[in-house]
């Protein structure tokens, strides 16, 4: 049945994303540097959020920071997609060449993507603020930084969980648009149209990739549970443990963003191959692209 075939295909692109990173860990480098910027902005707002007085100034301030985050995340993923294009064009993967391409031809096209994503992200942030209790300010410390970056000091609620899931869904729709910029040189607005076309054509595959990356993030967070329990029991933990938590938070975030982008990126590449071969029948009627074979889909 088409539904089960779609789930199977979604699992295959997720599995390929998982196995690929062990062979090409360099693909994580742009995203990890992106996390450093995300962590800096998060902690800056935690400890030094300004009192702007005006509601609209506050919204503008938050929106500008969100745009920066959306742009930085998008560009780090574009660099990764340029690396994929090099491989699928029969070239050696070069991080410097990928960055040159990303910050040259692709940069202008990414700006409208970041602006649109930023608006949707801002709405989610406002809804989270309206449905959550305000956190008390805290003095900067390694422990508090670790708890902030992992979300340990954010009270759980089903509303917040739902908003996080919507936020992730929006992010993966955006990530589906980025290959159109990197591989097909489409404009920012045309890339969104392309994203919706592929998702509409293959909803089961997309939702499977969404569900599996969500599950993967949950599994990766499991080692933090003992730390959370010990902290709740008010058992003092050494600074080295909290430093480890910060590093591990960066690893989880990096891998989550990588899996989201690579999963939808491989689905996008499969769609391109399917279209080149006539675009008829099920997606599985066309052999799944392999980034390590000698067939170059983007040459």
């Amino acid at each position: 049945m088409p539904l089960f075939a779609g789930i199977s295909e979604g699992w295959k692109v997720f599995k390929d994303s998982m196995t690929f990173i062990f062979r090409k860990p360099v693909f994580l480098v742009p995203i990890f540097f992106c996390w450093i910027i995300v962590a800096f902005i998060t902690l800056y707002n935690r400890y030094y959020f300004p009192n702007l007085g005006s509601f609209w100034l506050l919204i503008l301030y938050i929106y500008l920071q969100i745009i920066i985050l959306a742009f930085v995340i998008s560009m780090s993923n574009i660099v990764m997609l340029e690396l994929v294009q090099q491989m699928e064009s029969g070239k050696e993967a070069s991080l410097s060449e990928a960055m040159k391409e990303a910050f040259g031809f692709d940069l202008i096209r990414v700006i409208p993507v970041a602006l649109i994503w930023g608006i949707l992200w801002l709405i989610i942030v406002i809804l989270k603020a309206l449905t959550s209790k305000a956190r008390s300010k805290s003095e900067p410390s390694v422990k508090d930084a670790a708890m902030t970056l992992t979300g340990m000091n954010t009270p759980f609620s089903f509303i917040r969980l739902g908003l996080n899931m919507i936020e992730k869904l929006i992010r993966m729709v955006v990530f589906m648009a980025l290959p159109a910029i990197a591989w097909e040189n489409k404009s920012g607005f045309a890339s969104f149209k392309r994203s919706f076309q592929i998702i509409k054509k293959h909803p089961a595959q997309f939702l499977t990739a969404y569900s599996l990356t969500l599950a993967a993030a949950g599994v990766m967070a499991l080692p933090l549970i003992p730390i959370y329990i010990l902290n709740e029991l008010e058992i003092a933990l050494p600074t080295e443990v909290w430093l480890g938590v910060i590093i591990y938070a960066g690893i989880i975030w990096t891998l989550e963003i990588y899996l989201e982008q690579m999963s939808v990126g491989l689905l996008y590449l499969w769609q391109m191959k399917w279209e080149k071969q006539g675009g008829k029948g099920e997606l599985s009627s066309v052999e799944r692209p392999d980034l390590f074979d000698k067939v170059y889909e983007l040459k």
Side-chain angles (χ1 to χ4, degrees):
M1 293 179 65
L3 175 61
F4 293 108
I7 293 173
S8 174
E9 289 156 4
W11 160 252
K12 288 173 183 176
V13 295
F14 173 79
K15 184 178 68 173
D16 287 349
S17 302
M18 287 287 290
T19 56
F20 177 82
I21 199 56
F22 291 103
R23 299 179 67 177
K24 289 287 184 179
V26 68
F27 277 48
L28 293 177
V29 172
I31 303 175
F32 185 77
F33 277 104
C34 174
W35 176 79
I36 294 174
I37 297 173
V38 172
F40 173 81
I41 291 177
T42 301
L43 295 178
Y44 180 85
N45 286 326
R46 169 69 170 156
Y47 305 123
Y48 307 108
F49 197 87
N51 184 8
L52 298 172
S54 167
F55 172 78
W56 293 111
L57 276 179
L58 175 64
I59 294 297
L60 179 60
Y61 175 80
I62 295 172
Y63 181 55
L64 289 175
Q65 290 199 333
I66 287 174
I67 289 175
I68 292 171
L69 294 177
F71 179 76
V72 169
I73 294 170
S74 297
M75 289 305 297
S76 67
N77 284 357
I78 286 286
V79 172
M80 185 173 71
L81 292 169
E82 289 292 349
L83 286 168
V84 172
Q85 185 174 44
Q86 290 170 5
M87 294 180 64
E88 284 300 302
S89 300
K91 303 174 183 177
E92 285 292 324
S94 168
L95 185 58
S96 60
E97 286 299 316
M99 292 182 66
K100 187 187 300 183
E101 191 77 18
F103 287 92
F105 296 105
D106 300 334
L107 187 147
I108 299 299
R109 300 187 184 100
V110 169
I111 291 175
V113 173
L115 293 174
I116 295 171
W117 182 14
I119 292 172
L120 299 173
W121 195 345
L122 176 64
I123 293 171
I124 298 295
V125 168
I126 292 173
L127 290 174
K128 284 182 180 179
L130 292 175
T131 56
S132 303
K133 292 182 179 180
R135 287 186 297 181
S136 58
K137 280 208 169 186
S138 177
E139 291 297 316
S141 70
V142 175
K143 175 184 174 181
D144 189 78
M147 294 183 67
T148 300
L149 293 174
T150 57
M152 288 186 190
N153 56 4
T154 303
F156 173 82
S157 74
F158 285 105
I159 294 176
R160 190 175 188 89
L161 176 62
L163 290 173
N164 285 338
M165 293 177 70
I166 294 171
E167 184 179 354
K168 176 185 174 66
L169 181 64
I170 292 170
R171 186 168 65 240
M172 289 188 69
V173 171
V174 172
F175 288 178
M176 182 67 87
L178 296 181
I181 294 174
W183 299 343
E184 298 188 290
N185 298 320
K186 291 186 178 294
S187 68
F189 295 106
S191 69
F192 273 116
K193 183 179 179 181
R194 180 73 161 143
S195 174
F196 289 126
Q197 285 175 342
I198 295 176
I199 294 170
K200 184 179 178 181
K201 184 69 178 177
H202 308 294
Q205 292 88 334
F206 176 79
L207 290 175
T208 300
Y210 171 89
S211 301
L212 290 173
T213 54
L214 182 64
V219 170
M220 288 187 289
L222 289 178
L224 295 175
I225 292 178
I227 306 295
Y228 175 79
I229 293 173
L230 290 173
N231 183 68
E232 287 295 299
L233 294 173
E234 298 184 354
I235 297 174
L237 297 172
T239 300
E240 290 78 10
V241 170
W242 293 112
L243 281 172
V245 169
I246 291 174
I247 295 170
Y248 189 63
I251 293 171
I252 293 176
W253 189 91
T254 300
L255 287 172
E256 183 178 11
I257 295 296
Y258 160 79
L259 287 173
E260 289 177 359
Q261 180 62 79
M262 187 59 80
S263 293
V264 296
L266 290 178
L267 178 58
Y268 191 106
L269 188 61
W270 200 352
Q271 167 75 10
M272 290 179 67
K273 184 175 183 178
W274 178 76
E275 290 172 347
K276 286 180 181 178
Q277 297 189 21
K280 295 181 180 179
E282 297 298 325
L283 189 64
S284 56
S285 64
V286 174
E287 188 178 356
R288 192 170 76 257
D290 184 344
L291 298 182
F292 293 102
D293 62 14
K294 298 299 180 183
V295 179
Y296 304 120
E297 311 295 350
L298 299 175
K299 194 166 185 178

